[in-house]
């Protein structure tokens, strides 16, 4: 067996077992270590940013769906996203009302309008929801507390989490208790505020009554609705009622659970637009960048110490032991590079959230995912560098 404290030739400061060889190899050249940590941290930051924006895209896109007070949803089969809605006839909702287990039905209108900033008079696109103020459409407390305001014609509720380009609507409303501006070139009054948030679909949101919505969109027909919301009686089996609805309703509507409805929006942004591809491709690029950087570091380390590795082989150390040392180096680099990467990514998330108002924040799942990718990235680089290590032969130094 090898001696427990045998020094590598030409490297008298490196001892075995007393101090792990992998740690000594990694920390021996401080400049190379700093470059490796910076490279891995850069790759991790790139991956964190791509995954963060991708998750923010999906989370923000489905926030309106998840805020609906409903068990089942009726939509046009061609419906893909809130950004481009497709209508169906309200008669389908009335048919659904007669199914056993259905408690109530209500309609939801969706449209993109032009909001005029009451301060600087500029206009900006905004997402408008039209609801029946006599029914509970959203689970948002601020909306449900102000349903009486929506019963007043041309009154709307404004999303105070919208981008500031729409104006300081919440501050003005809270100060004056009333606010008048224009929406789709029609005078409207803000009767209250709520909180939903921005998304890739829209920078802001407004809720109006169905009658006000029709006034804002005179080209729309009241019987042509965008989304039908179906609430079930307590104890009703959602899947059973869904099957019954699918059996009696024509093919011009699709019956979905709320989760399935949200998945359609996610699928649209992830597959039907270049945005999802860009974020996914950016993650791959970050992984490849890290792989190359760590490979260069480990390959250079093996090349510089090839004679020492050959001596170890002559002393009786197996290839398996030397491979273990290289894998340990890769894992150490992964951990050392991940720590500054996650700290800097947190800072970038805060900046991005302030600038875009998108829900970008570090999550345990994402941190675990990136750590796993970093370990795979570094160990993969170590596996590539093994080709050089296998060439270490005692004859190289004798």
């Amino acid at each position: 067996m090898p001696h427990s404290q045998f020094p590598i030739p030409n490297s008298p400061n490196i001892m075995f077992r007393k101090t792990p060889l992998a740690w000594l190899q990694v920390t021996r050249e401080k400049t190379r270590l700093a470059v490796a940590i910076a490279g891995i941290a850069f790759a991790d930051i790139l991956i964190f940013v791509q995954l963060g924006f991708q998750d923010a895209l999906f989370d923000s896109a489905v926030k309106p769906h998840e805020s609906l007070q409903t068990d089942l949803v009726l939509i046009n089969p061609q419906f893909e996203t809130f950004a481009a809605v497709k209508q169906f006839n309200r008669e389908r909702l009335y048919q659904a009302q007669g199914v056993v287990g259905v408690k109530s039905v209500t309609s939801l209108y969706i449209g993109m309008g032009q909001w005029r900033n009451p301060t600087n008079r500029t206009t900006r696109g905004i997402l408008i929801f039209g609801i029946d103020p006599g029914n509970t459409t959203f689970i948002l407390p601020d909306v449900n507390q102000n349903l009486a305001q929506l019963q007043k014609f041309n009154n709307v509720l404004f999303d105070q989490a919208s981008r500031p380009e729409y104006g300081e609507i919440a501050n003005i409303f809270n100060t004056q208790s009333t606010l008048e501006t224009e929406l789709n070139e029609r005078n409207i009054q803000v009767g209250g505020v709520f909180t939903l948030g921005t998304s890739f679909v829209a920078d802001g949101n407004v809720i109006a009554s169905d009658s006000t919505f029709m006034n804002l969109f005179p080209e729309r027909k009241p019987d042509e609705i965008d989304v039908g919301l179906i609430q079930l009686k307590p104890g009703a089996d959602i899947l059973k009622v869904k099957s019954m609805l699918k059996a009696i309703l024509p093919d011009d509507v699709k019956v979905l659970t709320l989760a399935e409805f949200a998945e359609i929006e996610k699928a649209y942004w992830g597959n039907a637009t270049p945005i999802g591809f860009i974020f996914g491709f950016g993650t791959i690029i970050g992984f490849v960048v890290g792989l190359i950087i760590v490979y260069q570091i480990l390959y250079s380390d093996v090349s510089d110490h090839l004679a020492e590795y050959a001596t170890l082989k002559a002393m009786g150390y197996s290839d398996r032991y030397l491979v273990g040392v290289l894998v340990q180096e890769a894992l150490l680099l992964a951990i050392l590079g991940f720590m500054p990467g996650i700290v800097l990514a947190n800072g970038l998330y805060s900046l991005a959230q302030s600038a875009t108002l998108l829900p970008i924040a570090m999550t345990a799942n994402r941190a675990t995912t990136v750590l796993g990718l970093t370990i795979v990235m570094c160990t993969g680089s170590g596996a590539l560098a093994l080709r050089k290590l296998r060439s270490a032969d005692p004859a190289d130094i004798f």
Side-chain angles (χ1 to χ4, degrees):
M1 294 294 293
H3 195 277
S4 62
Q5 290 190 346
F6 181 86
I8 300 178
N10 303 323
S11 303
N13 293 326
I14 299 181
M15 299 292 183
F16 301 126
R17 301 190 186 279
K18 184 176 181 180
T19 302
L21 177 58
W23 175 256
L24 292 170
Q25 292 287 80
V26 166
T27 59
R28 185 183 182 196
E29 296 188 24
K30 300 299 188 293
T31 301
R32 180 179 294 173
L33 175 61
V35 171
I37 292 175
I40 296 170
F42 173 77
D44 282 350
I45 291 171
L46 188 56
I47 295 173
F48 268 124
V49 169
Q50 299 301 316
L51 293 179
F53 272 103
Q54 185 179 61
D55 289 348
L57 162 65
F58 293 142
D59 292 345
S60 63
V62 301
K63 190 177 293 184
H65 305 64
E66 295 172 347
S67 300
L68 294 173
Q69 180 71 53
T70 188
D71 297 303
L72 293 172
V73 175
L74 286 185
I75 59 171
N76 186 304
Q78 297 179 347
F79 187 104
E80 292 183 312
T81 171
F82 276 0
V85 293
K86 302 288 184 180
Q87 291 80 41
F88 66 93
N89 197 284
R90 189 202 300 270
E91 181 184 355
R92 301 294 175 246
L93 265 185
Y94 297 150
Q95 291 176 278
Q97 177 75 73
V99 173
V100 176
V102 174
K103 176 184 177 183
S104 63
V105 298
T106 189
S107 56
L108 176 66
Y109 300 93
I110 306 169
M112 291 296 298
Q114 291 295 315
W115 174 273
R116 186 175 297 280
N117 185 319
T119 304
N120 58 25
R121 310 300 294 170
T122 59
T123 59
R124 191 178 183 90
I126 197 166
L127 190 64
I128 306 173
F129 297 99
I131 67 173
D132 179 359
N135 291 321
T136 301
T137 304
F138 290 93
I139 61 174
L140 304 173
D142 292 341
V143 174
N144 297 328
Q145 292 169 6
N146 286 291
L147 290 178
Q149 290 294 327
L150 291 182
Q151 293 176 356
K152 302 175 183 178
F153 191 62
N154 282 343
N155 264 27
V156 302
L157 305 181
F158 181 82
D159 182 6
Q160 59 185 343
S162 302
R163 288 191 59 82
E165 285 82 356
Y166 294 102
E168 297 184 1
I169 306 303
N171 292 337
I172 297 174
F173 175 79
N174 292 331
T175 301
Q176 303 177 358
S177 298
T178 182
L179 190 156
E180 185 173 327
T181 185
E182 292 180 15
L183 185 57
N184 279 5
E185 299 183 349
R186 285 168 170 75
N187 291 331
I188 56 96
Q189 287 199 352
V190 176
V193 294
F194 66 100
T195 303
L196 182 59
T198 63
S199 68
F200 280 78
V201 176
D203 291 332
N205 305 285
V206 163
I207 296 177
S209 68
D210 45 12
S211 57
T212 298
F213 184 92
M214 290 302 153
N215 182 53
L216 295 172
F217 297 92
E219 72 282 2
R220 293 286 300 269
K221 298 178 180 179
D223 288 339
E224 296 296 319
I225 65 176
D226 299 305
V227 180
L229 306 178
I230 304 173
Q231 293 191 49
L232 305 185
K233 296 177 181 178
D237 188 315
I238 292 181
L239 296 181
K240 184 177 180 180
V241 175
K242 177 186 173 183
S243 297
M244 288 190 292
L245 287 170
K246 291 177 67 175
I248 69 167
L249 295 176
D251 293 337
D252 58 359
V253 291
K254 182 182 289 187
V255 186
L256 303 170
T257 64
L258 190 57
E260 291 170 338
F261 185 39
E263 284 301 319
I264 289 180
E265 191 81 28
K266 287 184 179 181
Y268 173 81
W269 290 102
N271 304 322
T273 69
I275 297 177
F277 171 79
I278 290 171
F279 289 144
F281 186 71
T283 301
I284 295 174
I285 291 297
F287 182 85
V288 173
V289 167
L291 189 72
I292 294 173
I293 290 173
V294 178
Y295 168 73
Q296 291 292 338
I297 295 297
L298 293 177
Y299 184 87
S300 298
D301 179 76
V302 172
S303 298
D304 292 348
H305 300 95
L306 200 58
E308 287 88 338
Y309 284 118
T311 301
L312 288 174
K313 282 188 176 183
M315 293 167 53
Y317 284 91
S318 65
D319 284 341
R320 182 177 178 181
Y321 173 81
L322 299 180
V323 168
V325 171
L326 198 59
V327 171
Q328 290 175 44
E329 286 188 54
L331 292 175
L332 284 171
L333 289 175
I335 300 300
L336 293 174
F338 176 78
M339 290 189 292
I342 190 172
V343 171
L344 293 173
N346 256 320
L348 289 176
Y349 281 173
S350 298
L351 291 175
Q353 188 174 37
S354 299
T356 65
L357 300 183
L358 291 172
I360 305 176
M362 185 63 67
T363 64
N365 286 338
R366 191 181 309 137
T368 303
T369 299
V370 175
L371 177 59
L373 288 174
T374 306
I375 291 174
V376 171
M377 176 176 68
C378 292
T379 53
S381 300
L384 293 174
L386 286 178
R387 294 177 301 171
K388 185 68 176 177
L389 181 59
R390 291 194 183 98
S391 67
D393 194 284
D396 292 340
I397 62 170
F398 299 138

